[in-house]
Amino acid sequence: MPFAVYVLGLAVFAQGTSEFMLSGLVSAIAADLDVSLSAAGLLTSAFAVGMVLGAPLMALFSRTWPRRRALLLFLAVFIAVHVVGALTPGYGVLLAARFVGALANAGFWAVALAAAVSMVPDGLRGRATAVVVGGVTIACVVGVPAGAVLGERWGWRAAFWAVAVVSLPALWAITRSVPGGRDRGQGRGGGTAPVADARGTAPAAGARGAGSAARTRGAGSAGQVPRRPLAPAPTSAPAPTPVRDELRLLLTAPHLRLTLLTMALVQGATFCAFSYLEPLLTRTTGLTTTWVPLALALFGAGAFLGVGAAGRYAERRPTAFIAYGMTALALGWSTLALTAGRPVAALALIPLLGMLAFGTGTALITRVLGLAGRSSTLAGAFGTSAFNLGAAVGPWAGGLALEAGGGYRSPVWVSAALMALALLTEGARRLRRVRSRERATGSTAG
């Protein structure tokens, strides 16, 4: 796997920490800014709405840029808005900062997913996607619990400062490792970029490329160096696919819209319960606040395992992997709602649900990229939008359940209901797929 793919995962780690860390800080933010718990939960929804709107807009805005330039700009804006969020005394400014930060995060995600799959052979696309998404899971394991600890000891603003600081190494690493071209084969300055082989390694550009050409084309005995080194033939950067053509490919891709809807429902279920995990554990389960970072770390550890499993096994039997994962999630959220008052049961279920949620989500993202074909950048944007549409609707729906007096278990029941809807949409996709195959078989036989 190319090192640049891991660098993208590092940047996503910082961004994932920001996206998820409010699950351990909602009570502190609500108390400090004098707003309700549901209003503090809307900060997660605001971030998700920015991701939904920003993913396709930022992908279109930056689609003709070299990918390294786009990634650097989006990450720099992300850092800046976290500094603003750490300094602001008002809820409105923090809400706006979350939205703008999400726009930058959305642009980064859309470009990063396309860049990652373009740097590896087709057989490693699932693993490359898992590495990038794995940055979020590591954020859940390390970043989110660390943010909860920082919030408990030095206030929630310390967590925002920490996200800005952690993002700086990723900013530097992107300048050193990510190719500058728009598309696979386009390198820095418009030449031909090295393409990774099946082992994930790539020949270095420049001197080694020229030396290889000299050894291949040079005359004379072995080891003789030509008087005039042969430079690589100049190549022009491939023109990007027109926006209209990319959109047409996406809109006509079979089963893509149902897959995006399923992804949104799965992520809505995940974010609905996760956003209110801290009040559930402290006010229903009966755990003290010191247990919250551990619970978040357990969720993240499970998510990390789920992404790894998806990277290795989802491409072998993707339909079965997704169907089993979704069924288990529907049962798991229901079980958590029923057993939330028992600390041992709750702490045992949390890592299992993290594994199922992120394993299934990663498999769905890989399916979207596979269905999109050549429209990889916009597919990454649409997948990001679907992911975060769920992240916006989930906390909002959970907040409505809380405001309606459903108690702290009610967001978990909403998660179970969203998973039931996701199973229906996945069933509709499979039924449509079977019918399309039958029509194709009938037309061929006729």
mmCIF file with all atom_site columns, all heavy atoms in Angstrom, residues 30-58:
data_model
loop_
_atom_site.group_PDB
_atom_site.id
_atom_site.type_symbol
_atom_site.label_atom_id
_atom_site.label_alt_id
_atom_site.label_comp_id
_atom_site.label_asym_id
_atom_site.label_entity_id
_atom_site.label_seq_id
_atom_site.pdbx_PDB_ins_code
_atom_site.Cartn_x
_atom_site.Cartn_y
_atom_site.Cartn_z
_atom_site.occupancy
_atom_site.B_iso_or_equiv
_atom_site.pdbx_formal_charge
_atom_site.auth_seq_id
_atom_site.auth_comp_id
_atom_site.auth_asym_id
_atom_site.auth_atom_id
_atom_site.pdbx_PDB_model_num
ATOM 1   N N   . ALA A 1 30 ? -23.222 22.249 26.543 1.00 0.00 ? 30 ALA A N   1
ATOM 2   C CA  . ALA A 1 30 ? -24.536 22.775 26.896 1.00 0.00 ? 30 ALA A CA  1
ATOM 3   C C   . ALA A 1 30 ? -24.461 23.631 28.158 1.00 0.00 ? 30 ALA A C   1
ATOM 4   O O   . ALA A 1 30 ? -25.065 24.715 28.229 1.00 0.00 ? 30 ALA A O   1
ATOM 5   C CB  . ALA A 1 30 ? -25.514 21.621 27.100 1.00 0.00 ? 30 ALA A CB  1
ATOM 6   N N   . ALA A 1 31 ? -23.699 23.186 29.156 1.00 0.00 ? 31 ALA A N   1
ATOM 7   C CA  . ALA A 1 31 ? -23.589 23.945 30.403 1.00 0.00 ? 31 ALA A CA  1
ATOM 8   C C   . ALA A 1 31 ? -22.798 25.229 30.201 1.00 0.00 ? 31 ALA A C   1
ATOM 9   O O   . ALA A 1 31 ? -23.174 26.291 30.709 1.00 0.00 ? 31 ALA A O   1
ATOM 10  C CB  . ALA A 1 31 ? -22.924 23.079 31.476 1.00 0.00 ? 31 ALA A CB  1
ATOM 11  N N   . ASP A 1 32 ? -21.704 25.173 29.443 1.00 0.00 ? 32 ASP A N   1
ATOM 12  C CA  . ASP A 1 32 ? -20.845 26.348 29.262 1.00 0.00 ? 32 ASP A CA  1
ATOM 13  C C   . ASP A 1 32 ? -21.528 27.426 28.425 1.00 0.00 ? 32 ASP A C   1
ATOM 14  O O   . ASP A 1 32 ? -21.410 28.621 28.712 1.00 0.00 ? 32 ASP A O   1
ATOM 15  C CB  . ASP A 1 32 ? -19.529 25.926 28.616 1.00 0.00 ? 32 ASP A CB  1
ATOM 16  C CG  . ASP A 1 32 ? -18.550 27.079 28.480 1.00 0.00 ? 32 ASP A CG  1
ATOM 17  O OD1 . ASP A 1 32 ? -18.449 27.888 29.424 1.00 0.00 ? 32 ASP A OD1 1
ATOM 18  O OD2 . ASP A 1 32 ? -17.890 27.184 27.428 1.00 0.00 ? 32 ASP A OD2 1
ATOM 19  N N   . LEU A 1 33 ? -22.234 27.030 27.373 1.00 0.00 ? 33 LEU A N   1
ATOM 20  C CA  . LEU A 1 33 ? -22.862 27.998 26.469 1.00 0.00 ? 33 LEU A CA  1
ATOM 21  C C   . LEU A 1 33 ? -24.319 28.261 26.821 1.00 0.00 ? 33 LEU A C   1
ATOM 22  O O   . LEU A 1 33 ? -25.000 29.008 26.109 1.00 0.00 ? 33 LEU A O   1
ATOM 23  C CB  . LEU A 1 33 ? -22.751 27.498 25.024 1.00 0.00 ? 33 LEU A CB  1
ATOM 24  C CG  . LEU A 1 33 ? -21.325 27.276 24.500 1.00 0.00 ? 33 LEU A CG  1
ATOM 25  C CD1 . LEU A 1 33 ? -21.349 26.837 23.040 1.00 0.00 ? 33 LEU A CD1 1
ATOM 26  C CD2 . LEU A 1 33 ? -20.484 28.547 24.645 1.00 0.00 ? 33 LEU A CD2 1
ATOM 27  N N   . ASP A 1 34 ? -24.821 27.648 27.879 1.00 0.00 ? 34 ASP A N   1
ATOM 28  C CA  . ASP A 1 34 ? -26.170 27.870 28.372 1.00 0.00 ? 34 ASP A CA  1
ATOM 29  C C   . ASP A 1 34 ? -27.214 27.533 27.312 1.00 0.00 ? 34 ASP A C   1
ATOM 30  O O   . ASP A 1 34 ? -28.107 28.333 26.998 1.00 0.00 ? 34 ASP A O   1
ATOM 31  C CB  . ASP A 1 34 ? -26.342 29.324 28.854 1.00 0.00 ? 34 ASP A CB  1
ATOM 32  C CG  . ASP A 1 34 ? -27.606 29.506 29.687 1.00 0.00 ? 34 ASP A CG  1
ATOM 33  O OD1 . ASP A 1 34 ? -28.076 28.492 30.261 1.00 0.00 ? 34 ASP A OD1 1
ATOM 34  O OD2 . ASP A 1 34 ? -28.117 30.641 29.757 1.00 0.00 ? 34 ASP A OD2 1
ATOM 35  N N   . VAL A 1 35 ? -27.103 26.330 26.754 1.00 0.00 ? 35 VAL A N   1
ATOM 36  C CA  . VAL A 1 35 ? -28.079 25.846 25.781 1.00 0.00 ? 35 VAL A CA  1
ATOM 37  C C   . VAL A 1 35 ? -28.552 24.470 26.243 1.00 0.00 ? 35 VAL A C   1
ATOM 38  O O   . VAL A 1 35 ? -27.977 23.871 27.154 1.00 0.00 ? 35 VAL A O   1
ATOM 39  C CB  . VAL A 1 35 ? -27.477 25.754 24.357 1.00 0.00 ? 35 VAL A CB  1
ATOM 40  C CG1 . VAL A 1 35 ? -27.092 27.135 23.853 1.00 0.00 ? 35 VAL A CG1 1
ATOM 41  C CG2 . VAL A 1 35 ? -26.281 24.803 24.330 1.00 0.00 ? 35 VAL A CG2 1
ATOM 42  N N   . SER A 1 36 ? -29.596 23.962 25.607 1.00 0.00 ? 36 SER A N   1
ATOM 43  C CA  . SER A 1 36 ? -30.134 22.664 25.985 1.00 0.00 ? 36 SER A CA  1
ATOM 44  C C   . SER A 1 36 ? -29.238 21.542 25.467 1.00 0.00 ? 36 SER A C   1
ATOM 45  O O   . SER A 1 36 ? -28.387 21.736 24.597 1.00 0.00 ? 36 SER A O   1
ATOM 46  C CB  . SER A 1 36 ? -31.542 22.491 25.431 1.00 0.00 ? 36 SER A CB  1
ATOM 47  O OG  . SER A 1 36 ? -31.503 22.432 24.018 1.00 0.00 ? 36 SER A OG  1
ATOM 48  N N   . LEU A 1 37 ? -29.474 20.351 25.984 1.00 0.00 ? 37 LEU A N   1
ATOM 49  C CA  . LEU A 1 37 ? -28.708 19.187 25.543 1.00 0.00 ? 37 LEU A CA  1
ATOM 50  C C   . LEU A 1 37 ? -28.970 18.884 24.067 1.00 0.00 ? 37 LEU A C   1
ATOM 51  O O   . LEU A 1 37 ? -28.050 18.542 23.315 1.00 0.00 ? 37 LEU A O   1
ATOM 52  C CB  . LEU A 1 37 ? -29.092 17.973 26.403 1.00 0.00 ? 37 LEU A CB  1
ATOM 53  C CG  . LEU A 1 37 ? -28.187 16.746 26.315 1.00 0.00 ? 37 LEU A CG  1
ATOM 54  C CD1 . LEU A 1 37 ? -26.793 17.057 26.836 1.00 0.00 ? 37 LEU A CD1 1
ATOM 55  C CD2 . LEU A 1 37 ? -28.797 15.592 27.106 1.00 0.00 ? 37 LEU A CD2 1
ATOM 56  N N   . SER A 1 38 ? -30.217 19.023 23.643 1.00 0.00 ? 38 SER A N   1
ATOM 57  C CA  . SER A 1 38 ? -30.527 18.776 22.232 1.00 0.00 ? 38 SER A CA  1
ATOM 58  C C   . SER A 1 38 ? -29.895 19.821 21.327 1.00 0.00 ? 38 SER A C   1
ATOM 59  O O   . SER A 1 38 ? -29.490 19.516 20.201 1.00 0.00 ? 38 SER A O   1
ATOM 60  C CB  . SER A 1 38 ? -32.039 18.739 22.021 1.00 0.00 ? 38 SER A CB  1
ATOM 61  O OG  . SER A 1 38 ? -32.637 19.964 22.411 1.00 0.00 ? 38 SER A OG  1
ATOM 62  N N   . ALA A 1 39 ? -29.792 21.088 21.806 1.00 0.00 ? 39 ALA A N   1
ATOM 63  C CA  . ALA A 1 39 ? -29.112 22.116 21.017 1.00 0.00 ? 39 ALA A CA  1
ATOM 64  C C   . ALA A 1 39 ? -27.634 21.794 20.875 1.00 0.00 ? 39 ALA A C   1
ATOM 65  O O   . ALA A 1 39 ? -27.046 21.979 19.800 1.00 0.00 ? 39 ALA A O   1
ATOM 66  C CB  . ALA A 1 39 ? -29.295 23.486 21.666 1.00 0.00 ? 39 ALA A CB  1
ATOM 67  N N   . ALA A 1 40 ? -27.010 21.314 21.936 1.00 0.00 ? 40 ALA A N   1
ATOM 68  C CA  . ALA A 1 40 ? -25.614 20.891 21.839 1.00 0.00 ? 40 ALA A CA  1
ATOM 69  C C   . ALA A 1 40 ? -25.474 19.717 20.878 1.00 0.00 ? 40 ALA A C   1
ATOM 70  O O   . ALA A 1 40 ? -24.493 19.628 20.128 1.00 0.00 ? 40 ALA A O   1
ATOM 71  C CB  . ALA A 1 40 ? -25.079 20.520 23.219 1.00 0.00 ? 40 ALA A CB  1
ATOM 72  N N   . GLY A 1 41 ? -26.454 18.811 20.873 1.00 0.00 ? 41 GLY A N   1
ATOM 73  C CA  . GLY A 1 41 ? -26.421 17.707 19.926 1.00 0.00 ? 41 GLY A CA  1
ATOM 74  C C   . GLY A 1 41 ? -26.529 18.171 18.485 1.00 0.00 ? 41 GLY A C   1
ATOM 75  O O   . GLY A 1 41 ? -26.009 17.521 17.574 1.00 0.00 ? 41 GLY A O   1
ATOM 76  N N   . LEU A 1 42 ? -27.201 19.324 18.269 1.00 0.00 ? 42 LEU A N   1
ATOM 77  C CA  . LEU A 1 42 ? -27.317 19.853 16.901 1.00 0.00 ? 42 LEU A CA  1
ATOM 78  C C   . LEU A 1 42 ? -25.985 20.304 16.335 1.00 0.00 ? 42 LEU A C   1
ATOM 79  O O   . LEU A 1 42 ? -25.863 20.485 15.119 1.00 0.00 ? 42 LEU A O   1
ATOM 80  C CB  . LEU A 1 42 ? -28.314 21.017 16.876 1.00 0.00 ? 42 LEU A CB  1
ATOM 81  C CG  . LEU A 1 42 ? -29.795 20.629 16.938 1.00 0.00 ? 42 LEU A CG  1
ATOM 82  C CD1 . LEU A 1 42 ? -30.667 21.889 16.943 1.00 0.00 ? 42 LEU A CD1 1
ATOM 83  C CD2 . LEU A 1 42 ? -30.178 19.729 15.776 1.00 0.00 ? 42 LEU A CD2 1
ATOM 84  N N   . LEU A 1 43 ? -24.979 20.501 17.168 1.00 0.00 ? 43 LEU A N   1
ATOM 85  C CA  . LEU A 1 43 ? -23.648 20.816 16.644 1.00 0.00 ? 43 LEU A CA  1
ATOM 86  C C   . LEU A 1 43 ? -23.116 19.662 15.800 1.00 0.00 ? 43 LEU A C   1
ATOM 87  O O   . LEU A 1 43 ? -22.401 19.875 14.817 1.00 0.00 ? 43 LEU A O   1
ATOM 88  C CB  . LEU A 1 43 ? -22.686 21.111 17.802 1.00 0.00 ? 43 LEU A CB  1
ATOM 89  C CG  . LEU A 1 43 ? -22.961 22.398 18.581 1.00 0.00 ? 43 LEU A CG  1
ATOM 90  C CD1 . LEU A 1 43 ? -22.093 22.454 19.830 1.00 0.00 ? 43 LEU A CD1 1
ATOM 91  C CD2 . LEU A 1 43 ? -22.707 23.625 17.706 1.00 0.00 ? 43 LEU A CD2 1
ATOM 92  N N   . THR A 1 44 ? -23.462 18.432 16.171 1.00 0.00 ? 44 THR A N   1
ATOM 93  C CA  . THR A 1 44 ? -23.113 17.273 15.345 1.00 0.00 ? 44 THR A CA  1
ATOM 94  C C   . THR A 1 44 ? -23.907 17.283 14.055 1.00 0.00 ? 44 THR A C   1
ATOM 95  O O   . THR A 1 44 ? -23.373 17.013 12.974 1.00 0.00 ? 44 THR A O   1
ATOM 96  C CB  . THR A 1 44 ? -23.372 15.974 16.117 1.00 0.00 ? 44 THR A CB  1
ATOM 97  O OG1 . THR A 1 44 ? -22.574 15.955 17.300 1.00 0.00 ? 44 THR A OG1 1
ATOM 98  C CG2 . THR A 1 44 ? -23.037 14.757 15.269 1.00 0.00 ? 44 THR A CG2 1
ATOM 99  N N   . SER A 1 45 ? -25.192 17.627 14.149 1.00 0.00 ? 45 SER A N   1
ATOM 100 C CA  . SER A 1 45 ? -26.014 17.696 12.940 1.00 0.00 ? 45 SER A CA  1
ATOM 101 C C   . SER A 1 45 ? -25.534 18.804 12.008 1.00 0.00 ? 45 SER A C   1
ATOM 102 O O   . SER A 1 45 ? -25.538 18.633 10.779 1.00 0.00 ? 45 SER A O   1
ATOM 103 C CB  . SER A 1 45 ? -27.485 17.926 13.314 1.00 0.00 ? 45 SER A CB  1
ATOM 104 O OG  . SER A 1 45 ? -28.017 16.799 13.969 1.00 0.00 ? 45 SER A OG  1
ATOM 105 N N   . ALA A 1 46 ? -25.122 19.953 12.557 1.00 0.00 ? 46 ALA A N   1
ATOM 106 C CA  . ALA A 1 46 ? -24.622 21.048 11.719 1.00 0.00 ? 46 ALA A CA  1
ATOM 107 C C   . ALA A 1 46 ? -23.390 20.612 10.958 1.00 0.00 ? 46 ALA A C   1
ATOM 108 O O   . ALA A 1 46 ? -23.217 20.936 9.763  1.00 0.00 ? 46 ALA A O   1
ATOM 109 C CB  . ALA A 1 46 ? -24.310 22.268 12.588 1.00 0.00 ? 46 ALA A CB  1
ATOM 110 N N   . PHE A 1 47 ? -22.518 19.880 11.634 1.00 0.00 ? 47 PHE A N   1
ATOM 111 C CA  . PHE A 1 47 ? -21.326 19.358 10.957 1.00 0.00 ? 47 PHE A CA  1
ATOM 112 C C   . PHE A 1 47 ? -21.741 18.414 9.827  1.00 0.00 ? 47 PHE A C   1
ATOM 113 O O   . PHE A 1 47 ? -21.211 18.475 8.711  1.00 0.00 ? 47 PHE A O   1
ATOM 114 C CB  . PHE A 1 47 ? -20.449 18.628 11.969 1.00 0.00 ? 47 PHE A CB  1
ATOM 115 C CG  . PHE A 1 47 ? -19.064 18.336 11.477 1.00 0.00 ? 47 PHE A CG  1
ATOM 116 C CD1 . PHE A 1 47 ? -18.010 19.176 11.782 1.00 0.00 ? 47 PHE A CD1 1
ATOM 117 C CD2 . PHE A 1 47 ? -18.805 17.205 10.719 1.00 0.00 ? 47 PHE A CD2 1
ATOM 118 C CE1 . PHE A 1 47 ? -16.725 18.903 11.335 1.00 0.00 ? 47 PHE A CE1 1
ATOM 119 C CE2 . PHE A 1 47 ? -17.533 16.920 10.264 1.00 0.00 ? 47 PHE A CE2 1
ATOM 120 C CZ  . PHE A 1 47 ? -16.491 17.771 10.581 1.00 0.00 ? 47 PHE A CZ  1
ATOM 121 N N   . ALA A 1 48 ? -22.702 17.553 10.108 1.00 0.00 ? 48 ALA A N   1
ATOM 122 C CA  . ALA A 1 48 ? -23.136 16.591 9.106  1.00 0.00 ? 48 ALA A CA  1
ATOM 123 C C   . ALA A 1 48 ? -23.817 17.274 7.925  1.00 0.00 ? 48 ALA A C   1
ATOM 124 O O   . ALA A 1 48 ? -23.624 16.884 6.770  1.00 0.00 ? 48 ALA A O   1
ATOM 125 C CB  . ALA A 1 48 ? -24.069 15.568 9.741  1.00 0.00 ? 48 ALA A CB  1
ATOM 126 N N   . VAL A 1 49 ? -24.631 18.316 8.187  1.00 0.00 ? 49 VAL A N   1
ATOM 127 C CA  . VAL A 1 49 ? -25.274 19.050 7.091  1.00 0.00 ? 49 VAL A CA  1
ATOM 128 C C   . VAL A 1 49 ? -24.223 19.696 6.198  1.00 0.00 ? 49 VAL A C   1
ATOM 129 O O   . VAL A 1 49 ? -24.328 19.689 4.962  1.00 0.00 ? 49 VAL A O   1
ATOM 130 C CB  . VAL A 1 49 ? -26.243 20.112 7.651  1.00 0.00 ? 49 VAL A CB  1
ATOM 131 C CG1 . VAL A 1 49 ? -26.706 21.061 6.558  1.00 0.00 ? 49 VAL A CG1 1
ATOM 132 C CG2 . VAL A 1 49 ? -27.449 19.440 8.299  1.00 0.00 ? 49 VAL A CG2 1
ATOM 133 N N   . GLY A 1 50 ? -23.188 20.261 6.817  1.00 0.00 ? 50 GLY A N   1
ATOM 134 C CA  . GLY A 1 50 ? -22.098 20.826 6.027  1.00 0.00 ? 50 GLY A CA  1
ATOM 135 C C   . GLY A 1 50 ? -21.429 19.776 5.171  1.00 0.00 ? 50 GLY A C   1
ATOM 136 O O   . GLY A 1 50 ? -21.037 20.045 4.022  1.00 0.00 ? 50 GLY A O   1
ATOM 137 N N   . MET A 1 51 ? -21.295 18.562 5.688  1.00 0.00 ? 51 MET A N   1
ATOM 138 C CA  . MET A 1 51 ? -20.712 17.478 4.906  1.00 0.00 ? 51 MET A CA  1
ATOM 139 C C   . MET A 1 51 ? -21.625 17.084 3.746  1.00 0.00 ? 51 MET A C   1
ATOM 140 O O   . MET A 1 51 ? -21.162 16.827 2.626  1.00 0.00 ? 51 MET A O   1
ATOM 141 C CB  . MET A 1 51 ? -20.463 16.275 5.812  1.00 0.00 ? 51 MET A CB  1
ATOM 142 C CG  . MET A 1 51 ? -19.375 16.470 6.853  1.00 0.00 ? 51 MET A CG  1
ATOM 143 S SD  . MET A 1 51 ? -17.714 16.359 6.184  1.00 0.00 ? 51 MET A SD  1
ATOM 144 C CE  . MET A 1 51 ? -17.549 14.591 5.935  1.00 0.00 ? 51 MET A CE  1
ATOM 145 N N   . VAL A 1 52 ? -22.929 17.025 4.010  1.00 0.00 ? 52 VAL A N   1
ATOM 146 C CA  . VAL A 1 52 ? -23.880 16.643 2.956  1.00 0.00 ? 52 VAL A CA  1
ATOM 147 C C   . VAL A 1 52 ? -23.837 17.636 1.802  1.00 0.00 ? 52 VAL A C   1
ATOM 148 O O   . VAL A 1 52 ? -23.744 17.262 0.627  1.00 0.00 ? 52 VAL A O   1
ATOM 149 C CB  . VAL A 1 52 ? -25.301 16.553 3.531  1.00 0.00 ? 52 VAL A CB  1
ATOM 150 C CG1 . VAL A 1 52 ? -26.323 16.369 2.418  1.00 0.00 ? 52 VAL A CG1 1
ATOM 151 C CG2 . VAL A 1 52 ? -25.402 15.406 4.523  1.00 0.00 ? 52 VAL A CG2 1
ATOM 152 N N   . LEU A 1 53 ? -23.918 18.927 2.128  1.00 0.00 ? 53 LEU A N   1
ATOM 153 C CA  . LEU A 1 53 ? -23.908 19.957 1.084  1.00 0.00 ? 53 LEU A CA  1
ATOM 154 C C   . LEU A 1 53 ? -22.524 20.135 0.485  1.00 0.00 ? 53 LEU A C   1
ATOM 155 O O   . LEU A 1 53 ? -22.376 20.383 -0.715 1.00 0.00 ? 53 LEU A O   1
ATOM 156 C CB  . LEU A 1 53 ? -24.399 21.284 1.676  1.00 0.00 ? 53 LEU A CB  1
ATOM 157 C CG  . LEU A 1 53 ? -25.821 21.304 2.230  1.00 0.00 ? 53 LEU A CG  1
ATOM 158 C CD1 . LEU A 1 53 ? -26.135 22.660 2.841  1.00 0.00 ? 53 LEU A CD1 1
ATOM 159 C CD2 . LEU A 1 53 ? -26.828 20.967 1.142  1.00 0.00 ? 53 LEU A CD2 1
ATOM 160 N N   . GLY A 1 54 ? -21.508 20.017 1.321  1.00 0.00 ? 54 GLY A N   1
ATOM 161 C CA  . GLY A 1 54 ? -20.169 20.338 0.873  1.00 0.00 ? 54 GLY A CA  1
ATOM 162 C C   . GLY A 1 54 ? -19.532 19.290 -0.002 1.00 0.00 ? 54 GLY A C   1
ATOM 163 O O   . GLY A 1 54 ? -18.715 19.620 -0.860 1.00 0.00 ? 54 GLY A O   1
ATOM 164 N N   . ALA A 1 55 ? -19.867 18.024 0.190  1.00 0.00 ? 55 ALA A N   1
ATOM 165 C CA  . ALA A 1 55 ? -19.179 16.969 -0.553 1.00 0.00 ? 55 ALA A CA  1
ATOM 166 C C   . ALA A 1 55 ? -19.302 17.141 -2.067 1.00 0.00 ? 55 ALA A C   1
ATOM 167 O O   . ALA A 1 55 ? -18.288 17.228 -2.765 1.00 0.00 ? 55 ALA A O   1
ATOM 168 C CB  . ALA A 1 55 ? -19.682 15.602 -0.108 1.00 0.00 ? 55 ALA A CB  1
ATOM 169 N N   . PRO A 1 56 ? -20.528 17.219 -2.634 1.00 0.00 ? 56 PRO A N   1
ATOM 170 C CA  . PRO A 1 56 ? -20.589 17.412 -4.083 1.00 0.00 ? 56 PRO A CA  1
ATOM 171 C C   . PRO A 1 56 ? -20.124 18.797 -4.522 1.00 0.00 ? 56 PRO A C   1
ATOM 172 O O   . PRO A 1 56 ? -19.477 18.936 -5.561 1.00 0.00 ? 56 PRO A O   1
ATOM 173 C CB  . PRO A 1 56 ? -22.072 17.184 -4.410 1.00 0.00 ? 56 PRO A CB  1
ATOM 174 C CG  . PRO A 1 56 ? -22.797 17.426 -3.131 1.00 0.00 ? 56 PRO A CG  1
ATOM 175 C CD  . PRO A 1 56 ? -21.870 17.021 -2.041 1.00 0.00 ? 56 PRO A CD  1
ATOM 176 N N   . LEU A 1 57 ? -20.442 19.847 -3.729 1.00 0.00 ? 57 LEU A N   1
ATOM 177 C CA  . LEU A 1 57 ? -20.040 21.194 -4.127 1.00 0.00 ? 57 LEU A CA  1
ATOM 178 C C   . LEU A 1 57 ? -18.525 21.347 -4.137 1.00 0.00 ? 57 LEU A C   1
ATOM 179 O O   . LEU A 1 57 ? -17.943 21.893 -5.079 1.00 0.00 ? 57 LEU A O   1
ATOM 180 C CB  . LEU A 1 57 ? -20.665 22.225 -3.176 1.00 0.00 ? 57 LEU A CB  1
ATOM 181 C CG  . LEU A 1 57 ? -22.179 22.378 -3.246 1.00 0.00 ? 57 LEU A CG  1
ATOM 182 C CD1 . LEU A 1 57 ? -22.660 23.386 -2.212 1.00 0.00 ? 57 LEU A CD1 1
ATOM 183 C CD2 . LEU A 1 57 ? -22.612 22.811 -4.640 1.00 0.00 ? 57 LEU A CD2 1
ATOM 184 N N   . MET A 1 58 ? -17.863 20.861 -3.083 1.00 0.00 ? 58 MET A N   1
ATOM 185 C CA  . MET A 1 58 ? -16.414 20.976 -3.020 1.00 0.00 ? 58 MET A CA  1
ATOM 186 C C   . MET A 1 58 ? -15.732 20.082 -4.047 1.00 0.00 ? 58 MET A C   1
ATOM 187 O O   . MET A 1 58 ? -14.680 20.422 -4.583 1.00 0.00 ? 58 MET A O   1
ATOM 188 C CB  . MET A 1 58 ? -15.916 20.636 -1.612 1.00 0.00 ? 58 MET A CB  1
ATOM 189 C CG  . MET A 1 58 ? -16.360 21.596 -0.522 1.00 0.00 ? 58 MET A CG  1
ATOM 190 S SD  . MET A 1 58 ? -15.790 23.301 -0.759 1.00 0.00 ? 58 MET A SD  1
ATOM 191 C CE  . MET A 1 58 ? -17.301 24.074 -1.371 1.00 0.00 ? 58 MET A CE  1
#
